[in-house]
Amino acid sequence: MPRPTARPRLTAVVSAGSLTPDDLIPRLQAFTSGLSHRDDVEVVLLVPHSLGGQNLFSFEDSVAKVVSGAFRVSVLPDRADVATTMRAGAQAARGSFVTFLDAHDDVSDGYLGALSDAAREDAIASASAPAGEHPEPMAHAVRREVQPRGSVYPVSVLRGVPLPTGLTAEATEAVLLASVAGSYRHQHLVLAPVTGASHQGPSGSSGSTADAVSGLLGLQQAGDALDAEAARALRTQWRGRLRAHVAAGVVDVSSLGSALTASGVRDVSAHHLIAEPPSIVLETFFSERDDREARRVVVVMRDVSRARGFSSALQGLVKSGCQLTLVHTEGAPPRSMPSAATVVDVLRHPSLAVEAVDAADDVISVGAGSRAVADEIADDDVRAGLGWLQALLIDRAALQPAVNGALARAVERSATALQGSLQASTVDPWSWPLLALRLLQGGHPAAVDAVEGAAREHLDEGSDTWAALAAVTVAAHPDLTGAKGLADLADGLLRRADDAESEGEELVAIYLHYLALELLFEPSQHTSVSTTPLVEDPAAHLGALRRSALHRLALEGSPGTHEARTHEPSGAVLLGGAFPKFAGILHEALASEREVTRIDLGGVDPRFANVIMDPRTFRQIYDVARGRPVSLLDRSVVEQLTGAEVVVADWADKGLALASRLVPDDSRLIARVHGVDTLSPWAHLTHWDRVDAVLAPSTHLADALRRTVGPRLDDVEIHVVPNPVDCAAFATQKTPAAQRTLGLVGWAQRVKDATFALEVLALLREQDPTWRLRLVGGDFAQTNRAVELEAAQRFRSRLCRRDVAGAVDFVPFTTDVPSEMAEIGWGLSTSLRESFHLGLAEMAASGSVPVVRDWPVYSLRGGAATLFPSEWVVADPLSAAARIQAVDAGDAWESERLAAREHVVRTADRPLVLDRLRSVIDPREPGPGTPRPGSAE
């Protein structure tokens, strides 16, 4: 066909390599298929000098007769490397766009035509990009390892881009992509897919170990010519590839080490490639170490007043334990500057500025003119751009045991700013899910979403970090999935945890397991709701947990770490638990026979002052299971626990979980459980085979505990012993107003559902407006928990309605509850769940007529009716009002209230409860009525 006179659109540069002219002709025919009717593509054949000397013009003419499109030949030096070839091809190109081929490549029919059609000035079009995807920023292409071969480049982009020599084709082209991605001049470029075309390089070359080694060498040779962020992304990819090759047995680590040394790669040691190095963030999460040494960070600016634009990130770094210094040449510090930051004017105090930079762990230049300032006082190790500062904040915040307040706000803003930023790829991958969990625990769902948005493009989909982050993101909005959705997520995490454990990734395994328990026991789905699968169907909800090999390890591994006794056991130890104010009766019961040491673990270590999951205790449990020597508690506490004849733990919390691994077999260990214990994970991490007896305040709670823990409780005696009521103290005379006054003691929580009481009040006032409600106890606490905020709002909105407005009296928190009983003639229990409801029992003991809601959480298991007379129990506000009106109308109030007091005296009076506790703590010979093992009294 005749050669076109018009300037071509696309130049295809083909490297002949060592092929002879006869071998080249069929390859060129394949490349130019489909071009017979097009004049917008030219082919430039680059031949080595040794081949070009063989009658070059004759060869060019013979080829032009059999290939389609414009064609010409250019000569290269023998054994020219890829970088030299690409530079020569870009210089020889007459088209506005250029693509590169090796004579050995395989392409689809019409390949060059498809590339010409896809070429555009604002993109690098690639036949290896996933088909159908939208164009994406070049920085993303570098991170995703999109193969650059088979790409179309604007010639204007290629000219002037420095390329290191001596690299493989894949490594050279990857460095080229990184150079383009990191260039400010080319930030407008995107990577676009080419449809209808496919390209495959020589078999076995793509993804080889040699390519990765070559790429690392290229990054080293590129030096300052390559954008730092892009270089870091490529280095991570190629190191990961080498690590994968070692793990898969593709290459032996010793020979790989020799290859790295021979190639001159200095920044990778072979032993680092045996496995992924442990994450400092992950290690810190489970040890909950303090911040060791504060990290010293220097921010270099020209005009320090401009720091107000990122003062939140600076505040966050200070809150994360960093020693912050700002070095500048002009301007005044803004008022929003952290007070703990040091500000140094380079012009006034140059030696202080140099000293700060020399001592710094991180030097980051931010803002216009800042790099010039940094060049005057710092070596080359300066990172430029606000993104580096924000990425550092993410890593530092993830190390903190809690993320709240100003730090949470700073993280949210920085994570939002990092979305789509290449600097985000420098963050420790585990920082994202760990930080998200800290934010979730602190009640900052918007910040969790921001972290997820920034991390999404930098974590490998399908990886453990990706799965962990996805789980936390869903947990931040639990109402969207409910307990069932969270359980499904936990199921997947538990399988991943077992896989990681089998592969020797211990920290990853226990973190995934820890997170699974966070999802299974998410409080918003269990502690403040009317139904929970932990009570209704625990076998289904916890099925995956019970099947987990890692969970079985915690309960079936090494049983404990106690030391051999040096003396006979004596005395008793009482662990007061997370909320020790209820333990007085246990102390009294123990003290009748022996000397008692009462230990408040929350005073020894703050982690024991609550029942929430904590990573340090969680890891200790698994260290014990693996037979490692572990200091579970303060040594003095351990000595007392191991030397006691009897240990009683109030609450089935983390204190009991550790005590069950410490108390010797010949000592008696007794646990008293409360309602929340069946809804938290610690009961599932306790060695119940080491517990001699369990105390529960009600039959329905004993049943719930046995069902939720499962078969591990089969051989443990559960004794139902009610909570004690000081009936003598509550023997009060009622005022005349009491007969028209409802009472509720301890009301300002979602679980207490005080709105139920307002509904009862409204129904009564429809018939008689003299009815009133008396609420005893503090108001709703300040919190960021959505469920509590919603409950408070719902209560206050109902309180303002005309039918109850002005009819509610509020009594602040008091330690003298009996003195308030004279005004209350009707005792309400309106809760969603109760294990006993001491406040209701105390009102009944004072002679108030009980009206007890059939607590919804336990209603299907007998609930309130297994604890109190059935006539006390009502289903809803309407039936509550009906009970009250029936008793009142029949003049039975006096007899009902006396009968209620008599019932409490008969079943829960303090001396009676004390005797029953003593009989469990110091059991005598079994007699009539003694419960057999495995059954509740």
Side-chain angles (χ1 to χ4, degrees), residues 13-17 24 43-53 56-57 59-60 71-77 85 87-93:
V13 178
V14 180
S15 300
L24 280 169
V43 175
V44 174
L45 181 67
L46 297 181
V47 299
H49 186 270
S50 57
L51 179 62
L56 182 63
F57 296 110
F59 172 67
E60 184 174 5
F71 174 80
R72 54 198 174 92
V73 177
S74 184
V75 179
L76 276 177
T85 301
R87 280 198 295 266
Q91 292 297 325

PDB file of all heavy atoms in Angstrom, residues 13-17 24 43-53 56-57 59-60 71-77 85 87-93:
ATOM      1  N   VAL A  13       6.880   1.227  18.234  1.00  0.00           N
ATOM      2  CA  VAL A  13       8.314   0.974  18.231  1.00  0.00           C
ATOM      3  C   VAL A  13       8.535  -0.508  18.536  1.00  0.00           C
ATOM      4  O   VAL A  13       8.158  -0.990  19.607  1.00  0.00           O
ATOM      5  CB  VAL A  13       9.042   1.860  19.252  1.00  0.00           C
ATOM      6  CG1 VAL A  13      10.531   1.532  19.267  1.00  0.00           C
ATOM      7  CG2 VAL A  13       8.805   3.336  18.934  1.00  0.00           C
ATOM      8  N   VAL A  14       9.127  -1.233  17.575  1.00  0.00           N
ATOM      9  CA  VAL A  14       9.330  -2.678  17.712  1.00  0.00           C
ATOM     10  C   VAL A  14      10.820  -2.956  17.850  1.00  0.00           C
ATOM     11  O   VAL A  14      11.615  -2.553  16.994  1.00  0.00           O
ATOM     12  CB  VAL A  14       8.762  -3.445  16.508  1.00  0.00           C
ATOM     13  CG1 VAL A  14       8.989  -4.948  16.679  1.00  0.00           C
ATOM     14  CG2 VAL A  14       7.279  -3.145  16.341  1.00  0.00           C
ATOM     15  N   SER A  15      11.217  -3.646  18.927  1.00  0.00           N
ATOM     16  CA  SER A  15      12.623  -4.013  19.129  1.00  0.00           C
ATOM     17  C   SER A  15      12.875  -5.357  18.448  1.00  0.00           C
ATOM     18  O   SER A  15      12.241  -6.363  18.781  1.00  0.00           O
ATOM     19  CB  SER A  15      12.942  -4.122  20.629  1.00  0.00           C
ATOM     20  OG  SER A  15      12.708  -2.891  21.267  1.00  0.00           O
ATOM     21  N   ALA A  16      13.818  -5.356  17.502  1.00  0.00           N
ATOM     22  CA  ALA A  16      14.095  -6.573  16.735  1.00  0.00           C
ATOM     23  C   ALA A  16      14.851  -7.600  17.547  1.00  0.00           C
ATOM     24  O   ALA A  16      14.731  -8.807  17.317  1.00  0.00           O
ATOM     25  CB  ALA A  16      14.875  -6.221  15.474  1.00  0.00           C
ATOM     26  N   GLY A  17      15.634  -7.135  18.517  1.00  0.00           N
ATOM     27  CA  GLY A  17      16.442  -8.065  19.277  1.00  0.00           C
ATOM     28  C   GLY A  17      17.420  -8.783  18.368  1.00  0.00           C
ATOM     29  O   GLY A  17      18.048  -8.185  17.491  1.00  0.00           O
ATOM     30  N   LEU A  24      11.789 -11.788  11.314  1.00  0.00           N
ATOM     31  CA  LEU A  24      11.070 -10.578  11.703  1.00  0.00           C
ATOM     32  C   LEU A  24       9.807 -10.355  10.880  1.00  0.00           C
ATOM     33  O   LEU A  24       8.805  -9.845  11.387  1.00  0.00           O
ATOM     34  CB  LEU A  24      11.981  -9.357  11.557  1.00  0.00           C
ATOM     35  CG  LEU A  24      12.979  -9.112  12.697  1.00  0.00           C
ATOM     36  CD1 LEU A  24      13.981  -8.057  12.294  1.00  0.00           C
ATOM     37  CD2 LEU A  24      12.232  -8.687  13.956  1.00  0.00           C
ATOM     38  N   VAL A  43       5.107   2.044  11.922  1.00  0.00           N
ATOM     39  CA  VAL A  43       5.933   1.092  12.652  1.00  0.00           C
ATOM     40  C   VAL A  43       7.390   1.485  12.476  1.00  0.00           C
ATOM     41  O   VAL A  43       7.865   1.683  11.359  1.00  0.00           O
ATOM     42  CB  VAL A  43       5.714  -0.347  12.152  1.00  0.00           C
ATOM     43  CG1 VAL A  43       6.677  -1.311  12.861  1.00  0.00           C
ATOM     44  CG2 VAL A  43       4.270  -0.778  12.366  1.00  0.00           C
ATOM     45  N   VAL A  44       8.084   1.629  13.602  1.00  0.00           N
ATOM     46  CA  VAL A  44       9.522   1.887  13.597  1.00  0.00           C
ATOM     47  C   VAL A  44      10.204   0.655  14.162  1.00  0.00           C
ATOM     48  O   VAL A  44       9.966   0.278  15.315  1.00  0.00           O
ATOM     49  CB  VAL A  44       9.877   3.133  14.421  1.00  0.00           C
ATOM     50  CG1 VAL A  44      11.393   3.287  14.508  1.00  0.00           C
ATOM     51  CG2 VAL A  44       9.244   4.374  13.820  1.00  0.00           C
ATOM     52  N   LEU A  45      11.020   0.013  13.339  1.00  0.00           N
ATOM     53  CA  LEU A  45      11.747  -1.184  13.764  1.00  0.00           C
ATOM     54  C   LEU A  45      13.133  -0.766  14.233  1.00  0.00           C
ATOM     55  O   LEU A  45      13.907  -0.178  13.473  1.00  0.00           O
ATOM     56  CB  LEU A  45      11.849  -2.176  12.609  1.00  0.00           C
ATOM     57  CG  LEU A  45      12.578  -3.482  12.929  1.00  0.00           C
ATOM     58  CD1 LEU A  45      11.790  -4.310  13.936  1.00  0.00           C
ATOM     59  CD2 LEU A  45      12.820  -4.277  11.651  1.00  0.00           C
ATOM     60  N   LEU A  46      13.435  -1.062  15.517  1.00  0.00           N
ATOM     61  CA  LEU A  46      14.755  -0.760  16.059  1.00  0.00           C
ATOM     62  C   LEU A  46      15.604  -2.021  15.970  1.00  0.00           C
ATOM     63  O   LEU A  46      15.276  -3.045  16.596  1.00  0.00           O
ATOM     64  CB  LEU A  46      14.639  -0.307  17.516  1.00  0.00           C
ATOM     65  CG  LEU A  46      13.848   0.989  17.759  1.00  0.00           C
ATOM     66  CD1 LEU A  46      13.842   1.328  19.249  1.00  0.00           C
ATOM     67  CD2 LEU A  46      14.434   2.149  16.963  1.00  0.00           C
ATOM     68  N   VAL A  47      16.654  -1.951  15.170  1.00  0.00           N
ATOM     69  CA  VAL A  47      17.514  -3.118  14.965  1.00  0.00           C
ATOM     70  C   VAL A  47      18.895  -2.818  15.521  1.00  0.00           C
ATOM     71  O   VAL A  47      19.360  -1.667  15.515  1.00  0.00           O
ATOM     72  CB  VAL A  47      17.609  -3.473  13.468  1.00  0.00           C
ATOM     73  CG1 VAL A  47      16.231  -3.816  12.934  1.00  0.00           C
ATOM     74  CG2 VAL A  47      18.224  -2.342  12.664  1.00  0.00           C
ATOM     75  N   PRO A  48      19.578  -3.830  16.045  1.00  0.00           N
ATOM     76  CA  PRO A  48      20.937  -3.607  16.537  1.00  0.00           C
ATOM     77  C   PRO A  48      21.882  -3.273  15.382  1.00  0.00           C
ATOM     78  O   PRO A  48      21.621  -3.620  14.228  1.00  0.00           O
ATOM     79  CB  PRO A  48      21.286  -4.934  17.221  1.00  0.00           C
ATOM     80  CG  PRO A  48      20.411  -5.938  16.569  1.00  0.00           C
ATOM     81  CD  PRO A  48      19.149  -5.223  16.221  1.00  0.00           C
ATOM     82  N   HIS A  49      22.947  -2.617  15.693  1.00  0.00           N
ATOM     83  CA  HIS A  49      23.899  -2.173  14.681  1.00  0.00           C
ATOM     84  C   HIS A  49      24.402  -3.337  13.849  1.00  0.00           C
ATOM     85  O   HIS A  49      24.580  -3.230  12.624  1.00  0.00           O
ATOM     86  CB  HIS A  49      25.072  -1.463  15.355  1.00  0.00           C
ATOM     87  CG  HIS A  49      26.036  -0.857  14.381  1.00  0.00           C
ATOM     88  ND1 HIS A  49      27.122  -1.552  13.877  1.00  0.00           N
ATOM     89  CD2 HIS A  49      26.067   0.369  13.814  1.00  0.00           C
ATOM     90  CE1 HIS A  49      27.781  -0.773  13.041  1.00  0.00           C
ATOM     91  NE2 HIS A  49      27.164   0.417  12.993  1.00  0.00           N
ATOM     92  N   SER A  50      24.588  -4.479  14.481  1.00  0.00           N
ATOM     93  CA  SER A  50      25.116  -5.640  13.741  1.00  0.00           C
ATOM     94  C   SER A  50      24.143  -6.102  12.662  1.00  0.00           C
ATOM     95  O   SER A  50      24.553  -6.577  11.607  1.00  0.00           O
ATOM     96  CB  SER A  50      25.415  -6.778  14.711  1.00  0.00           C
ATOM     97  OG  SER A  50      24.244  -7.119  15.433  1.00  0.00           O
ATOM     98  N   LEU A  51      22.832  -5.941  12.877  1.00  0.00           N
ATOM     99  CA  LEU A  51      21.854  -6.325  11.869  1.00  0.00           C
ATOM    100  C   LEU A  51      21.647  -5.204  10.859  1.00  0.00           C
ATOM    101  O   LEU A  51      21.458  -5.447   9.667  1.00  0.00           O
ATOM    102  CB  LEU A  51      20.515  -6.667  12.544  1.00  0.00           C
ATOM    103  CG  LEU A  51      19.364  -7.067  11.619  1.00  0.00           C
ATOM    104  CD1 LEU A  51      19.717  -8.338  10.854  1.00  0.00           C
ATOM    105  CD2 LEU A  51      18.084  -7.252  12.420  1.00  0.00           C
ATOM    106  N   GLY A  52      21.731  -3.954  11.342  1.00  0.00           N
ATOM    107  CA  GLY A  52      21.496  -2.833  10.445  1.00  0.00           C
ATOM    108  C   GLY A  52      22.534  -2.701   9.360  1.00  0.00           C
ATOM    109  O   GLY A  52      22.281  -2.113   8.304  1.00  0.00           O
ATOM    110  N   GLY A  53      23.717  -3.275   9.569  1.00  0.00           N
ATOM    111  CA  GLY A  53      24.750  -3.173   8.540  1.00  0.00           C
ATOM    112  C   GLY A  53      24.498  -4.084   7.357  1.00  0.00           C
ATOM    113  O   GLY A  53      25.195  -4.018   6.354  1.00  0.00           O
ATOM    114  N   LEU A  56      20.612  -2.358   4.926  1.00  0.00           N
ATOM    115  CA  LEU A  56      19.471  -1.858   5.668  1.00  0.00           C
ATOM    116  C   LEU A  56      18.342  -1.397   4.754  1.00  0.00           C
ATOM    117  O   LEU A  56      17.180  -1.722   4.960  1.00  0.00           O
ATOM    118  CB  LEU A  56      19.931  -0.708   6.580  1.00  0.00           C
ATOM    119  CG  LEU A  56      18.848  -0.107   7.479  1.00  0.00           C
ATOM    120  CD1 LEU A  56      18.312  -1.124   8.452  1.00  0.00           C
ATOM    121  CD2 LEU A  56      19.423   1.098   8.219  1.00  0.00           C
ATOM    122  N   PHE A  57      18.703  -0.629   3.689  1.00  0.00           N
ATOM    123  CA  PHE A  57      17.649  -0.081   2.822  1.00  0.00           C
ATOM    124  C   PHE A  57      16.930  -1.181   2.056  1.00  0.00           C
ATOM    125  O   PHE A  57      15.718  -1.121   1.846  1.00  0.00           O
ATOM    126  CB  PHE A  57      18.257   0.946   1.870  1.00  0.00           C
ATOM    127  CG  PHE A  57      18.815   2.143   2.605  1.00  0.00           C
ATOM    128  CD1 PHE A  57      20.191   2.352   2.664  1.00  0.00           C
ATOM    129  CD2 PHE A  57      17.967   3.034   3.232  1.00  0.00           C
ATOM    130  CE1 PHE A  57      20.704   3.432   3.344  1.00  0.00           C
ATOM    131  CE2 PHE A  57      18.486   4.119   3.913  1.00  0.00           C
ATOM    132  CZ  PHE A  57      19.864   4.327   3.975  1.00  0.00           C
ATOM    133  N   PHE A  59      16.500  -4.224   3.058  1.00  0.00           N
ATOM    134  CA  PHE A  59      15.651  -4.891   4.027  1.00  0.00           C
ATOM    135  C   PHE A  59      14.376  -4.084   4.289  1.00  0.00           C
ATOM    136  O   PHE A  59      13.268  -4.617   4.324  1.00  0.00           O
ATOM    137  CB  PHE A  59      16.428  -5.105   5.336  1.00  0.00           C
ATOM    138  CG  PHE A  59      15.572  -5.624   6.463  1.00  0.00           C
ATOM    139  CD1 PHE A  59      15.019  -6.888   6.403  1.00  0.00           C
ATOM    140  CD2 PHE A  59      15.334  -4.842   7.579  1.00  0.00           C
ATOM    141  CE1 PHE A  59      14.234  -7.353   7.436  1.00  0.00           C
ATOM    142  CE2 PHE A  59      14.553  -5.305   8.604  1.00  0.00           C
ATOM    143  CZ  PHE A  59      14.006  -6.573   8.544  1.00  0.00           C
ATOM    144  N   GLU A  60      14.526  -2.759   4.427  1.00  0.00           N
ATOM    145  CA  GLU A  60      13.368  -1.904   4.703  1.00  0.00           C
ATOM    146  C   GLU A  60      12.360  -1.980   3.554  1.00  0.00           C
ATOM    147  O   GLU A  60      11.154  -2.084   3.780  1.00  0.00           O
ATOM    148  CB  GLU A  60      13.835  -0.461   4.901  1.00  0.00           C
ATOM    149  CG  GLU A  60      12.717   0.499   5.290  1.00  0.00           C
ATOM    150  CD  GLU A  60      13.255   1.880   5.607  1.00  0.00           C
ATOM    151  OE1 GLU A  60      14.483   2.109   5.433  1.00  0.00           O
ATOM    152  OE2 GLU A  60      12.455   2.732   6.023  1.00  0.00           O
ATOM    153  N   PHE A  71       6.150   2.239   7.484  1.00  0.00           N
ATOM    154  CA  PHE A  71       7.197   1.428   8.097  1.00  0.00           C
ATOM    155  C   PHE A  71       8.552   2.057   7.820  1.00  0.00           C
ATOM    156  O   PHE A  71       8.820   2.533   6.720  1.00  0.00           O
ATOM    157  CB  PHE A  71       7.164   0.005   7.508  1.00  0.00           C
ATOM    158  CG  PHE A  71       8.297  -0.866   7.971  1.00  0.00           C
ATOM    159  CD1 PHE A  71       8.236  -1.474   9.209  1.00  0.00           C
ATOM    160  CD2 PHE A  71       9.420  -1.049   7.184  1.00  0.00           C
ATOM    161  CE1 PHE A  71       9.279  -2.265   9.642  1.00  0.00           C
ATOM    162  CE2 PHE A  71      10.468  -1.838   7.615  1.00  0.00           C
ATOM    163  CZ  PHE A  71      10.392  -2.455   8.855  1.00  0.00           C
ATOM    164  N   ARG A  72       9.408   2.077   8.853  1.00  0.00           N
ATOM    165  CA  ARG A  72      10.796   2.480   8.662  1.00  0.00           C
ATOM    166  C   ARG A  72      11.659   1.797   9.709  1.00  0.00           C
ATOM    167  O   ARG A  72      11.146   1.233  10.685  1.00  0.00           O
ATOM    168  CB  ARG A  72      10.957   4.000   8.713  1.00  0.00           C
ATOM    169  CG  ARG A  72      10.415   4.687   9.911  1.00  0.00           C
ATOM    170  CD  ARG A  72      10.233   6.197   9.653  1.00  0.00           C
ATOM    171  NE  ARG A  72       9.576   6.854  10.756  1.00  0.00           N
ATOM    172  CZ  ARG A  72      10.210   7.419  11.773  1.00  0.00           C
ATOM    173  NH1 ARG A  72      11.536   7.381  11.826  1.00  0.00           N
ATOM    174  NH2 ARG A  72       9.543   8.009  12.740  1.00  0.00           N
ATOM    175  N   VAL A  73      12.978   1.865   9.468  1.00  0.00           N
ATOM    176  CA  VAL A  73      13.938   1.168  10.318  1.00  0.00           C
ATOM    177  C   VAL A  73      14.895   2.182  10.917  1.00  0.00           C
ATOM    178  O   VAL A  73      15.296   3.147  10.262  1.00  0.00           O
ATOM    179  CB  VAL A  73      14.724   0.113   9.500  1.00  0.00           C
ATOM    180  CG1 VAL A  73      15.776  -0.560  10.374  1.00  0.00           C
ATOM    181  CG2 VAL A  73      13.781  -0.926   8.923  1.00  0.00           C
ATOM    182  N   SER A  74      15.249   1.946  12.227  1.00  0.00           N
ATOM    183  CA  SER A  74      16.250   2.781  12.888  1.00  0.00           C
ATOM    184  C   SER A  74      17.229   1.856  13.587  1.00  0.00           C
ATOM    185  O   SER A  74      16.878   0.730  13.973  1.00  0.00           O
ATOM    186  CB  SER A  74      15.591   3.717  13.905  1.00  0.00           C
ATOM    187  OG  SER A  74      16.546   4.588  14.466  1.00  0.00           O
ATOM    188  N   VAL A  75      18.494   2.292  13.695  1.00  0.00           N
ATOM    189  CA  VAL A  75      19.553   1.450  14.236  1.00  0.00           C
ATOM    190  C   VAL A  75      19.858   1.828  15.682  1.00  0.00           C
ATOM    191  O   VAL A  75      19.916   3.015  16.028  1.00  0.00           O
ATOM    192  CB  VAL A  75      20.827   1.575  13.381  1.00  0.00           C
ATOM    193  CG1 VAL A  75      21.955   0.717  13.969  1.00  0.00           C
ATOM    194  CG2 VAL A  75      20.533   1.143  11.956  1.00  0.00           C
ATOM    195  N   LEU A  76      20.060   0.781  16.481  1.00  0.00           N
ATOM    196  CA  LEU A  76      20.434   0.951  17.889  1.00  0.00           C
ATOM    197  C   LEU A  76      21.808   0.340  18.127  1.00  0.00           C
ATOM    198  O   LEU A  76      22.232  -0.547  17.381  1.00  0.00           O
ATOM    199  CB  LEU A  76      19.443   0.209  18.791  1.00  0.00           C
ATOM    200  CG  LEU A  76      18.133   0.888  19.182  1.00  0.00           C
ATOM    201  CD1 LEU A  76      17.308  -0.092  20.004  1.00  0.00           C
ATOM    202  CD2 LEU A  76      18.404   2.144  19.995  1.00  0.00           C
ATOM    203  N   PRO A  77      22.513   0.767  19.198  1.00  0.00           N
ATOM    204  CA  PRO A  77      23.757   0.084  19.565  1.00  0.00           C
ATOM    205  C   PRO A  77      23.451  -1.364  19.924  1.00  0.00           C
ATOM    206  O   PRO A  77      22.364  -1.689  20.396  1.00  0.00           O
ATOM    207  CB  PRO A  77      24.258   0.867  20.784  1.00  0.00           C
ATOM    208  CG  PRO A  77      23.576   2.194  20.699  1.00  0.00           C
ATOM    209  CD  PRO A  77      22.261   1.943  20.047  1.00  0.00           C
ATOM    210  N   THR A  85      16.424   1.785  24.578  1.00  0.00           N
ATOM    211  CA  THR A  85      15.479   1.505  23.494  1.00  0.00           C
ATOM    212  C   THR A  85      14.281   2.442  23.554  1.00  0.00           C
ATOM    213  O   THR A  85      13.823   2.979  22.542  1.00  0.00           O
ATOM    214  CB  THR A  85      15.015   0.045  23.578  1.00  0.00           C
ATOM    215  OG1 THR A  85      16.164  -0.813  23.472  1.00  0.00           O
ATOM    216  CG2 THR A  85      14.040  -0.284  22.478  1.00  0.00           C
ATOM    217  N   ARG A  87      14.070   5.420  24.970  1.00  0.00           N
ATOM    218  CA  ARG A  87      14.457   6.801  24.657  1.00  0.00           C
ATOM    219  C   ARG A  87      14.615   6.975  23.145  1.00  0.00           C
ATOM    220  O   ARG A  87      14.158   7.968  22.561  1.00  0.00           O
ATOM    221  CB  ARG A  87      15.749   7.162  25.394  1.00  0.00           C
ATOM    222  CG  ARG A  87      15.544   7.530  26.855  1.00  0.00           C
ATOM    223  CD  ARG A  87      16.742   8.281  27.406  1.00  0.00           C
ATOM    224  NE  ARG A  87      17.932   7.436  27.439  1.00  0.00           N
ATOM    225  CZ  ARG A  87      18.314   6.735  28.494  1.00  0.00           C
ATOM    226  NH1 ARG A  87      17.585   6.767  29.588  1.00  0.00           N
ATOM    227  NH2 ARG A  87      19.399   5.999  28.458  1.00  0.00           N
ATOM    228  N   ALA A  88      15.260   5.994  22.519  1.00  0.00           N
ATOM    229  CA  ALA A  88      15.461   6.079  21.065  1.00  0.00           C
ATOM    230  C   ALA A  88      14.134   6.034  20.333  1.00  0.00           C
ATOM    231  O   ALA A  88      13.914   6.761  19.354  1.00  0.00           O
ATOM    232  CB  ALA A  88      16.368   4.939  20.603  1.00  0.00           C
ATOM    233  N   GLY A  89      13.227   5.172  20.796  1.00  0.00           N
ATOM    234  CA  GLY A  89      11.928   5.069  20.154  1.00  0.00           C
ATOM    235  C   GLY A  89      11.129   6.350  20.280  1.00  0.00           C
ATOM    236  O   GLY A  89      10.462   6.784  19.322  1.00  0.00           O
ATOM    237  N   ALA A  90      11.171   6.985  21.448  1.00  0.00           N
ATOM    238  CA  ALA A  90      10.445   8.242  21.644  1.00  0.00           C
ATOM    239  C   ALA A  90      11.004   9.339  20.745  1.00  0.00           C
ATOM    240  O   ALA A  90      10.252  10.168  20.212  1.00  0.00           O
ATOM    241  CB  ALA A  90      10.521   8.661  23.108  1.00  0.00           C
ATOM    242  N   GLN A  91      12.321   9.329  20.552  1.00  0.00           N
ATOM    243  CA  GLN A  91      12.932  10.340  19.685  1.00  0.00           C
ATOM    244  C   GLN A  91      12.586  10.086  18.219  1.00  0.00           C
ATOM    245  O   GLN A  91      12.401  11.024  17.435  1.00  0.00           O
ATOM    246  CB  GLN A  91      14.457  10.338  19.877  1.00  0.00           C
ATOM    247  CG  GLN A  91      14.910  10.838  21.246  1.00  0.00           C
ATOM    248  CD  GLN A  91      14.521  12.288  21.487  1.00  0.00           C
ATOM    249  OE1 GLN A  91      14.512  13.117  20.566  1.00  0.00           O
ATOM    250  NE2 GLN A  91      14.192  12.588  22.741  1.00  0.00           N
ATOM    251  N   ALA A  92      12.472   8.817  17.821  1.00  0.00           N
ATOM    252  CA  ALA A  92      12.216   8.487  16.416  1.00  0.00           C
ATOM    253  C   ALA A  92      10.750   8.626  16.031  1.00  0.00           C
ATOM    254  O   ALA A  92      10.421   8.681  14.841  1.00  0.00           O
ATOM    255  CB  ALA A  92      12.686   7.058  16.129  1.00  0.00           C
ATOM    256  N   ALA A  93       9.862   8.673  17.032  1.00  0.00           N
ATOM    257  CA  ALA A  93       8.432   8.655  16.749  1.00  0.00           C
ATOM    258  C   ALA A  93       7.989   9.922  16.027  1.00  0.00           C
ATOM    259  O   ALA A  93       8.319  11.036  16.437  1.00  0.00           O
ATOM    260  CB  ALA A  93       7.657   8.486  18.054  1.00  0.00           C
TER     261      ALA A  93
END
